[in-house]
Amino acid sequence: MKKFPDNFWWGAATSGPQSEGRFNKQHANVFDYWYEIEPEAFYNHVGPDTASNFYNSYKEDIRLMKEIGLNSVRTSIQWTRLIDEFETASLNEDGVRFYNDVIDEFILQGITPMIALHHFDLPVELYNKYGGWESKHVTDLFAKFAGRCFELFGDRVKHWFTFNEPMVIVDGQYLYQFHYPKIVNGKKAVQVAYNINLASAKAIKVFRMMGLGEKGAKIGIILNLTPSYPSSTSEEDIKAGKIADLWRNQMFLDTAVHGAFPSELVKLLKKDKVIWESTPEEEKIIKDNTIDILGVNFYHPSRVKAPDISPDSLQDWMPDRYYDDYDMPGRRMNVDKGWEIFPKALYDIALNIRDNYQNIEWFVAENGMGVSREERFLNDEGVIEDDYRINFIKEHLEWLHKGIEEGSNCRGYHLWTPIDCWSWSNAYRNRYGFISNNIHTQVKTIKKSGYWFKKVAEQNALPDDRNGGV
Ligand code: BG6
């Protein structure tokens, strides 16, 4: 048996915009709006209107989460649901009622609720008025919204996260066009990365000023870490790997944990004349408001090589002028999603946090395998036999366990996601849940992986296969 530390968090993660549905929401976020104007950009034209109906069925859904043994679950509070007017952060009554009910229900079922404050769901109004994360004013509005959440729910929620995967906002909205408004502008991307780091620090500042830490609560950020492996040991490929790592991982990780941007990155952005606008006061806020806890989303590694064309070629500035993505021959793939499967990277992440990030308290905040057409695997009892998912989780847990044994301070493992949920422009193409969801009837059924995970959680251990497994 591979035993995990006592009180390990065995859980799963979702988000407000992906599970609740748009019911009773007064405002649209950027995805709600994008779906209104371009439904064909979404897989099978399925939008966020119903999602997995959590707004209406949260009691039943949480009961199912309990049934598969989850002891902790992360979701997010939608800014567009809780707040009526963004400048003053006035409250929406139904939003307050809903999140109070959800949090109470989690606690009643013995599940620790963990709450993120932003999961790609910027109110579209703030984009139209101010340019969204391009604006420093929006960082202040976010801190106000965060303050409201702490006031309302801080008595019961003890694990807070400012942002989920901020790097995806930078990539999706400002570089690679997979999130509305699909801008391609390297200079803006740099400013947005800076502003989100600032917004996160400002929210942490409010949390500290309100004394939530003294009442036993912790605050952090959730980062998608993609360790960068160079394609060879040549000097050029190693350099490409280092720069990819600076941009993709360290830009948020160093800032969150050490309170400062990596100096090599700052040097590079200055040389390229795309450095962000900042003030000493803002830098001090970032310095003084580092995180207590880190959530790591890990799906796939990043493999890079030296770029094919010189970074000095005449072209608009993009971070990937310094590296090209590299497809390693013979790699294992989740073909449905197009991501490489490389569980050892979780061990490398664990040791990196141990050695370079103060061995800070952390947990796997998302890991998972998105598979399409899972009805292929239905058995006679109507249960999806997702052995591929069980193996995927098992392999990742094995490497994680090794990292913990070697001293990494990891507190838990959350799968993406408890119940199949809506996933941005991919909508319901890839399913990730322990529990399936028929999106036409909203009937939810536990998959084989859900029953398997329950046993792992109960035993707080990964059974050794040689002894029969679970
Ligand atoms: C994670 C995000 O990166 O990936 C989730 O935090 C998202 O919000 C998940 O749903 C899966 O993405 P996709 O596009 O494969 O459904």
Side-chain angles (χ1 to χ4, degrees):
M1 286 284 233
K2 289 192 166 70
K3 268 269 173 209
F4 281 79
D6 289 347
N7 305 316
F8 203 68
W9 303 328
W10 296 104
T14 185
S15 77
Q18 294 178 265
S19 60
E20 291 168 13
R22 224 180 135 170
F23 310 101
N24 273 342
K25 228 161 50 116
Q26 300 305 309
H27 297 279
N29 64 40
V30 279
F31 279 90
D32 297 327
Y33 177 71
W34 185 16
Y35 181 67
E36 281 171 22
I37 58 166
E38 201 186 347
E40 61 282 7
F42 294 76
Y43 183 73
N44 279 347
H45 295 200
V46 174
D49 304 26
T50 306
S52 54
N53 195 38
F54 187 69
Y55 179 83
N56 297 308
S57 60
Y58 68 91
K59 279 198 177 165
E60 176 60 10
D61 291 1
I62 293 173
R63 199 194 55 69
L64 282 169
M65 295 178 204
K66 171 86 191 157
E67 204 176 317
I68 57 167
L70 307 187
N71 61 21
S72 48
V73 168
R74 176 191 27 133
T75 186
S76 69
I77 291 179
Q78 295 199 67
W79 198 349
T80 47
R81 183 183 291 291
L82 188 77
I83 298 297
D84 256 344
E85 201 277 312
F86 299 115
E87 301 297 325
T88 57
S90 65
L91 295 170
N92 178 279
E93 232 176 84
D94 185 65
V96 174
R97 177 210 52 82
F98 173 68
Y99 289 117
N100 266 323
D101 288 354
V102 166
I103 289 165
D104 288 345
E105 190 63 27
F106 273 125
I107 293 171
L108 187 73
Q109 295 294 343
I111 297 175
T112 301
M114 301 190 176
I115 299 289
L117 299 172
H118 195 84
H119 200 119
F120 314 156
D121 56 336
L122 178 77
V124 71
E125 212 173 301
L126 298 184
Y127 179 73
N128 293 337
K129 228 169 158 181
Y130 302 114
W133 296 116
E134 295 164 41
S135 146
K136 301 264 173 91
H137 180 59
V138 171
T139 67
D140 289 325
L141 298 184
F142 178 71
K144 269 191 201 169
F145 157 61
R148 285 282 189 249
C149 295
F150 303 147
E151 257 163 43
L152 288 163
F153 314 116
D155 57 333
R156 286 153 290 158
V157 174
K158 301 297 171 195
H159 303 83
W160 292 94
F161 299 94
T162 54
F163 283 81
N164 174 76
E165 298 190 352
M167 198 59 215
V168 169
I169 303 174
V170 177
D171 280 348
Q173 291 192 10
Y174 290 94
L175 294 173
Y176 306 115
Q177 298 185 286
F178 55 90
H179 284 186
Y180 178 85
K182 299 187 276 178
I183 292 166
V184 183
N185 186 323
K187 170 105 177 93
K188 278 191 179 178
V190 169
Q191 188 66 52
V192 164
Y194 173 83
N195 288 355
I196 296 180
N197 273 298
L198 178 63
S200 176
K202 283 183 178 173
I204 296 176
K205 188 175 173 192
V206 173
F207 177 92
R208 301 252 153 87
M209 274 165 35
M210 290 174 66
L212 268 77
E214 284 83 71
K215 293 180 192 144
K218 293 188 175 172
I219 189 157
I221 194 165
I222 291 170
L223 302 179
N224 50 316
L225 298 185
T226 49
S228 298
Y229 300 102
S231 61
S232 81
T233 51
S234 80
E235 211 180 294
E236 295 75 19
D237 290 332
I238 290 175
K239 187 173 167 210
K242 282 203 170 125
I243 299 180
D245 204 42
L246 279 173
W247 175 261
R248 289 179 168 165
N249 300 311
Q250 288 172 250
M251 182 159 63
F252 281 98
L253 184 55
D254 283 30
T255 317
V257 178
H258 300 314
F261 290 93
S263 54
E264 301 98 301
L265 178 70
V266 173
K267 207 162 126 199
L268 187 101
L269 298 176
K270 278 190 178 156
K271 171 181 85 58
D272 288 351
K273 299 193 174 50
V274 290
I275 190 74
W276 45 69
E277 281 172 24
S278 62
T279 66
E281 294 74 38
E282 290 167 358
E283 280 164 18
K284 183 158 171 18
I285 294 177
I286 291 174
K287 180 91 211 146
D288 293 345
N289 293 286
T290 53
I291 57 170
D292 305 319
I293 179 169
L294 174 70
V296 174
N297 293 356
F298 172 70
Y299 290 90
H300 60 89
S302 113
R303 295 193 190 273
V304 292
K305 61 185 175 72
D308 276 345
I309 62 167
S310 159
D312 298 329
S313 312
L314 182 63
Q315 54 185 329
D316 289 338
W317 190 89
M318 292 286 271
D320 52 15
R321 59 166 45 191
Y322 294 106
Y323 49 86
D324 281 345
D325 283 317
Y326 163 75
D327 292 333
M328 187 180 70
R331 65 200 176 282
R332 258 173 78 199
M333 288 292 287
N334 169 8
V335 178
D336 285 351
K337 176 62 190 166
W339 279 343
E340 182 183 338
I341 298 177
F342 187 61
K344 177 181 174 284
L346 204 45
Y347 168 75
D348 294 339
I349 289 173
L351 265 48
N352 184 31
I353 295 172
R354 184 195 68 183
D355 298 340
N356 301 312
Y357 294 93
Q358 307 165 356
N359 205 13
I360 193 169
E361 184 180 357
W362 71 285
F363 74 115
V364 176
E366 284 181 33
N367 176 232
M369 189 173 181
V371 172
S372 53
R373 297 177 292 114
E374 281 199 307
E375 57 286 357
R376 284 177 281 174
F377 307 107
L378 268 177
N379 68 16
D380 293 344
E381 280 85 52
V383 172
I384 290 170
E385 298 200 333
D386 52 347
D387 294 273
Y388 42 87
R389 182 166 292 108
I390 294 174
N391 291 332
F392 180 97
I393 299 172
K394 206 189 275 176
E395 283 187 71
H396 283 81
L397 281 174
E398 274 163 2
W399 281 107
L400 182 64
H401 185 263
K402 184 166 158 60
I404 295 172
E405 275 198 318
E406 292 176 26
S408 192
N409 188 16
C410 178
R411 297 287 316 277
Y413 175 93
H414 280 190
L415 186 83
W416 182 267
T417 186
I419 300 173
D420 287 347
C421 67
W422 181 80
S423 194
W424 320 113
S425 56
N426 277 329
Y428 274 95
R429 184 161 69 97
N430 301 317
R431 305 300 184 96
Y432 287 81
F434 282 132
I435 298 163
S436 71
N437 181 21
N438 179 325
I439 61 168
H440 306 291
T441 59
Q442 292 291 335
V443 170
K444 291 157 184 166
T445 314
I446 298 173
K447 301 179 194 174
K448 185 173 173 185
S449 59
Y451 294 109
W452 173 81
F453 197 72
K454 184 183 169 74
K455 289 192 190 148
V456 175
E458 277 169 3
Q459 296 170 349
N460 199 36
L462 200 59
D464 198 326
D465 275 342
R466 282 163 302 181
N467 299 329
V470 279

